[in-house]
Every structure is written in structure tokens, then in C-alpha cells.
Amino acid sequence: MKPTLYILAAGMGSRYGGLKQLDGLGPNGETIMDYSIYDAIQAGFGKVVFVIRKDFEQDFRDKVLSKYEGHIPVEVVFQSLDALPEGYTCPADRTKPWGTNHAVLMAKGVINEPFAVINADDFYGRDAFRVMAEDLMRERTRKGDYSMVGFRVGNTMTENGTVARGVCSTKDGLLTDVVERTSIGYRAADHAITFTDENGVEQVLEPNTPVSMNLWGFTPDYFEFSDREFRRFLDADINTPKAEYFIPRAIDTLINSGEATVRVLDTDSKWFGVTYAADRPGVVEKFASLHADGTYPSPLF
């Protein structure tokens, strides 16, 4: 069974106004998302599902989905504040989305095969999709047998400022912990990769340290776990305006309860994205060179 690619795209309109996030960065106006879908098709994915906000469905269908016709089947699901389990009501003053794992839950009933989750605005690279597709197509004998691509932190940096990354701890190839570290950057003196910990102490990260870039591999049983954990989240935090239900929070709970294991898949792919406006010219240049050397055809679709 071919795996499905699930793309988290519900934040587009709110963050960038309309579909400005779909910035043409490739030589033929390709978006970062176009490259992810192209790489996923090459890796063996059989379907793409987007989660978006209902208010720009038509715009999205016209400007985005139409280009993939004839290349791969595509479906759309919607994330909204009032998409809550029975018995729960969204507080009137809530404006913030419920988070990335709530977005994953929106595909319950639509995705019935192993699936990968990605951000719409990150370039993951061909090898990342290859290793994930291979893992999703292997035999499984139990629930809770998941994976994530562990990017090497040195392959996910920008020269134009700091980044936030989920720094992973592993044992025997399995994830034991993901800690979100903000302000990871290069130290001016020696270009070492550093961050400041919760005690205000500067810590150095080795370039090969695995980090999460939100490229996860799940099977459909993850929806059952997620639904249960989302209810627990709501019981505790439904009236906390800025509380969000993130994928690492759910994963951490399932690892600690022994209900799930997460294989950390290594990749030599180099991430890039437009974290800062100053990143854009470099990203445009990288895509141009990837077309020039034949890595990608022109146009992609």
C-alpha cells in the first residue's frame, strides 16, 4: 500500500494574508510545497491530503490543487476552531488554532493508510522523503510503531539569524525525548552551533545532532491515540487562550506510556526555508542550481 503525504497548510492565510506564502521561489514560479510533492511522488507516495482553512478553499483549489491534476490524487480537509470532540465547545474568545496535532486529527477517516506529516513551507529534500517512504512501506505487527526524520542540525541552519528546532535524544535508534530549543544560531567567534538553555547557560550542539523538522511517519491508529490525548488536553487547557496541542506533546506522552515507539531516520538532506526575508535570495539561488544540475526538471509540473 502506498503511503499518503499529509501537508499542514492551515496556517497559510493567517500568517501571510491570503496565499502569499505560496511564493514562487523556483525558476518557473515553483513553491517550496511543489518540491515536497514532487519528491514525495518520486519516493512512492500515492496520495496527497492538505489540511487548510475553509475560508480560502476556492483560492487554494484554483491556485494550488489544479497544478497537481494528472500527477497524484489530492484531497482537502479543514481545520477550524470549532472542530472539537462531542461535548466540548470552543471558548468565545479563542482566536489561536488548536495546534499541529489538532490539524493531524482533521484527517481522521480520510487517511486509512500509513502517512507522513510535513509543514507546507519547509524544503525537506529528496532523501528525506525516500527514507520516510521506505519506512512507511515496511511491515508492522503492532500499534504505535511510528517514525520521524531526524535532520542533522548542521543541515538546518540559516546564516541570517537564529532558528527554533526540536532537539532529539535517542537510544538504540528510537526517540526518547524532543526538547524545543529556540534561538539556535552560529556563534560569531568560531561558527559553533549554540543555544541558551533554561538556566541561561550557552550549550553547544554538534552538527550531526538530530532535530525534528516536523516530518513524522504514522499509521492510522495514531488518530485514536491523538483523539484521546486531545480530550485530555482540552480538559486541562480549553480555557487557556494560547495553549496548543502540538505533535511532540502527543508523541512524548505515548513514548512515556510505552504505547508508541518512534524510529529516528537519518538523512543527509539539507533543509531550507524562508525563515527571514534575507533568506529568500539564497533559497531562489539554491532552487535555480538544483534545476540547472538536473536534480529537478523545468517546470516541475
Side-chain angles (χ1 to χ4, degrees), residues 177-247:
D177 197 24
V178 182
V179 179
E180 188 69 16
R181 296 294 186 187
T182 56
S183 300
I184 299 174
Y186 289 118
R187 189 162 59 194
D190 57 2
H191 216 242
I193 300 170
T194 68
F195 69 91
T196 303
D197 69 15
E198 51 276 8
N199 300 313
V201 178
E202 184 182 72
Q203 303 285 352
V204 174
L205 286 174
E206 292 300 318
N208 285 337
T209 303
V211 296
S212 167
M213 298 302 300
N214 226 24
L215 176 41
W216 300 91
F218 297 124
T219 46
D221 57 78
Y222 185 68
F223 294 121
E224 299 166 37
F225 288 133
S226 290
D227 189 61
R228 183 193 73 196
E229 293 307 315
F230 186 46
R231 291 167 190 269
R232 290 177 179 172
F233 163 84
L234 291 172
D235 290 340
D237 290 313
I238 193 169
N239 291 310
T240 307
K242 293 190 175 178
E244 291 186 71
Y245 176 49
F246 293 118
I247 295 169

Side-chain angles (χ1 to χ4, degrees), residues 70-92:
H71 295 282
I72 191 167
V74 174
E75 290 187 54
V76 173
V77 297
F78 304 101
Q79 183 181 23
S80 63
L81 290 176
D82 57 3
L84 298 179
E86 195 173 336
Y88 295 88
T89 304
C90 181

Side-chain angles (χ1 to χ4, degrees), residues 1-14:
M1 183 183 292
K2 287 188 172 187
T4 286
L5 182 66
Y6 189 52
I7 302 181
L8 305 182
M12 281 183 177
S14 57

Side-chain angles (χ1 to χ4, degrees), residues 95-118:
T95 57
K96 200 171 185 62
W98 292 109
T100 51
N101 214 55
H102 176 252
V104 170
L105 264 177
M106 297 305 97
K108 185 178 180 181
V110 173
I111 296 177
N112 301 300
E113 55 282 320
F115 65 102
V117 176
I118 67 166

